[in-house]
Amino acid sequence: MSSNICVGVRPFGSFDGSSWQVTNGCALESRNGSSVFDFVFDHEASNLELFNCMAKPIVHKFISGLNGTLITYGGTSTGKTHTMLGDDQHPGLIELATKEIFETIGNDKERRFLLRLQFIEVNNKIITDLIRKRQHEVKVVDTGKVSSEEYLVSSKEELMQWLSVGKKKRSKRSHAILRIIIESRSISAQPDDPVMQSVFNLVDLAGCSNIMHMSNTTVSFRDQQLNQLLRASLGGNACTGIICTANPTDLLETRKTLQFASRVREVSNQPLVNLVAYKATMMKQQDLKIKKLRDQLAKEEQVILGSPRIDGQQDGCMECTVLCKAFIEKFADRHQVEMLLKEDVHATLHELCRDVLRSTRDVCPELEPSCERMFHNCVELERLQAEGESVCDETIELTQRELQAEIAEMRTKLEAAQLSYDMAKCQVSEKTEDCNRLNLQLSTAQADNVQLQAKNHSLEQMCQSQHQAIQAMVADCNEVQQKFQKLQQEHEHLRRTSEANKDQCLQLKADKTSLQAEIVTLKERVEEAQRLLLEASNQKALAEQLKAQNDRLKTELSEGQSSFQEMQRECDCLSNELMESVEECDGLRGECNALREELKQRSMPSYDIESMKSSGVGTECSEADLESETDSGFLEKFAKLSDSLHEIELQHRSGCSRLFRATKIQEHNVPGLKLCLESATDIHTEAHTLDDDAGDAVCLKGVLRQHRFQIIRLTQETAPAQEDAEKRLVHCNQLQVERAAMQRDIKLLTEANAALKKELGNDEVLTMSIEVNEKLRESMNEREEQFKIQLNVKEEEISLLESKLKSKGAEVEEIKERCLIMRQDMDEARESEAQLKEKVAASVVIHDSLKKKNLALDKVNIKLKKSVDIYRLRLEKPNASVNCKEVLPVVRRTVEERGSVQEHTSETLTVPEKRAKPACIHQELRKIKRRCLHDLRRRID
Ligand SMILES: Nc1ncnc2c1ncn2[C@@H]1O[C@H](COP(=O)(O)OP(=O)(O)OP(=O)(O)O)[C@@H](O)[C@H]1O
């Protein structure tokens, strides 16, 4: 233990069977080697054993002025708390150390000791006073002290009481530290002699292996507050004992704990006795207090007894003792004193006893019976006093002795009671402080109340304005709803219109498609017509060709006609010639007849002229007739004539043409010629035989005329012309044939032309229809364009309507939202109004109660003042006739009353509550303001 840090290892559970072995009570062996500590306990070792080995020496050093520290360190649930605090069956190190301390200082008659304690916990850098729980006020000051309150303790029980109070408030995850501070001074010390002052830290660390920081040279706590607080314990001015607890089943944790134990063992401390100047100690303060009280008591004694105070009497119990002594001393002269003081002393004693009884009841309940007994003794004494005259002196003396013994006994008890009384007084002073504080709070509360009232007023106004705003909002809301309904109707109307427009649009679209189809068909038809037109133009060309040909043919025809007319003219000439020839022939015939007559006369066979005539066809001449030389010339002439006749065409006035032809009669025995009249078409140049029986053989004379034929003489010179005429006739016939053919062609062409014209007419119809169709198409196109425009307009309208619809929808949505928000706002405003009303009501109630309490407190204060004044008066004028018995009870009662009022006040109205009220009202006000602003902004928007 050279380093003044003693390290012990305490297993919670057996090391047996595990990888560690305990040897010689100080070494722990494992496979990796052995670790030596100051102590290694087995699992059966008790807290007492551990205390005796490790803590007791530190406790004694602590009492002798050295700082001491006991720390339990280890993993979770390894028994740290069990070791430090213990339980009912197993007292922990704290209890054992406390017991040891009080036993030791109790036995030391040479020195005076003053003990006080602090019980704190450190949790996440926050230090909390476990007895008072004022966490924010506790700080570590540089000297390693804590700013929490220190509680004086005079016995182990008292200390354990405080400990049990603190244990209940401790959080399991915190580090708990009990700090015992001891001051000691020799009884015979001079005023300037220093005081020994040391601190004993009993630390129960939280179960976490990561709370220490270990470097090569130092070991420190990671928590800064803890480190500051226990700096002296690790490498400083303290005797430190570290009990490392381990659970052998948790190998890793145990290894860590042992590592720490080994490491911390190397740290060395240099403890020194701490001497503090007397004036800076608590001991001095206490001494001063006691002195003050004694002085006060002495004054009281003087007041009560009118005699100097008796030395050696303690403050609280002195009162009683002095009274008793005075009573005993005066008892000798009882005839005068008894009568004078009997009542007074009795009452005072009675009252004092009651006071002591009352004040000690809470602090030292065990004193109560003694006090009671004393009280009864006093009563008995009084009774005895009353019976004094009849009781003999011996009895009185005996009783006096008994009483003295009892008083002495009581004295000691009362001395103890005095301590309690002091504490009670302290409590009273604390309560007075509390009272003052409460007064302050009350005044602040009153100020708050005034503020609250003002705020209440403003809130009421605000409420009204809010109410008005709500009404306005309701009106707005109604208006908006109406608008909304209107908009909905409009929306509905627009929707319907849109649907109708859609239908119309669809109809238009259908129309458009049908029109397009129609246009397509029309186009096809136009194309067809164009094609036909094209073809028709070809036909036109053909027709023109034909026309040209026709014209050509017409010219040819006209040429032919002119040549025909010429030929006719020629024919007419020939006919004239023929007529001339006929006339000539008639002449010749006459000549012939004359010749015949002559021949008859010359008895020549006769010719049957009559038969010739009867045949009517021709004139036949027999060969025999012609045999004569005169006749042969004639016949020749006749033949010539016939030949020329042959060439004569007879043109009937009806237009029919006939030719005469003279043919030789083929019969051998019949000489002569036959003149035949034939149809011009039937005239053949060769192999044309004249039938004897032919009906058309005419006698030229008369018949031709009869048949109104014009006989044109064909002269000998016109023979080539006749040929030409024949040719021309042939040509003419040809031409006529051609003409007929041409006429047929023309007819055909005309028909074709007509057909073409018809076709053309059809084409025109087509063209017309095409034109019509074109027009129709154009009109259709126009209509389509119009439709398109209409469609576009409608579509635009629809899109406009849709956008309108959308905007209206958005507006409707917005209005809906606004309605909702307004409703919410209204609800909230109503809620806040209700809350505000509630708060106002609550604040009014609080205000009233505060007023009442204030009044009560004022009354109590006045009472207190009065009694204090009386008391002061009494003190200032010791001979004044004011009786203590009247004053003290009044004062005490007043204090009690005040205490109860304060208690009641503190019960009914806690500080945070009071503070909370304005804060929450502020918040509420801010909220309302914000909401109003928001609402205004929205409205403006
Ligand atoms: N030596 C022992 N003898 C008997 N019981 C023990 C011993 N050590 C610990 N215990 C018991 O084990 C339990 C856990 O112990 P304890 O609470 O003291 O551990 P801890 O290390 O303080 O835990 P934490 O790390 O959570 O603070 C307790 O019920 C305690 O009574």
Side-chain angles (χ1 to χ4, degrees), residues 135-151:
Q135 59 180 35
H136 297 301
E137 292 173 19
V138 181
K139 280 174 190 156
V140 182
V141 285
D142 284 342
T143 49
K145 289 180 185 169
V146 184
S147 68
S148 73
E149 205 161 328
E150 294 177 343
Y151 306 93

Side-chain angles (χ1 to χ4, degrees), residues 320-321 324 328 369-378 380 398-414:
C320 184
T321 315
C324 291
I328 292 158
S370 310
C371 292
E372 288 268 359
R373 210 164 47 247
M374 195 184 90
F375 177 67
H376 288 302
N377 282 339
C378 288
E380 182 65 18
L398 191 70
T399 317
Q400 193 180 350
R401 273 200 299 278
E402 278 174 7
L403 272 169
Q404 274 178 342
E406 206 168 324
I407 283 167
E409 195 190 322
M410 266 183 71
R411 202 174 139 186
T412 51
K413 283 184 179 174
L414 278 169

Side-chain angles (χ1 to χ4, degrees), residues 10 12 43 75-82 87 172 204-207:
R10 180 184 202 185
F12 174 40
H43 66 284
T76 308
S77 297
T78 51
K80 299 186 291 294
T81 309
H82 176 82
D87 53 37
K172 194 71 183 137
D204 177 23
L205 291 176

Side-chain angles (χ1 to χ4, degrees), residues 10-13 42-47 72-87 90 170 172-174 204-208 245:
R10 180 184 202 185
F12 174 40
D42 61 19
H43 66 284
E44 283 172 345
S46 67
N47 284 345
T72 51
Y73 175 94
T76 308
S77 297
T78 51
K80 299 186 291 294
T81 309
H82 176 82
T83 306
M84 189 56 77
L85 297 168
D87 53 37
H90 311 92
R170 186 203 169 177
K172 194 71 183 137
R173 297 262 160 241
S174 67
D204 177 23
L205 291 176
C208 173
T245 57

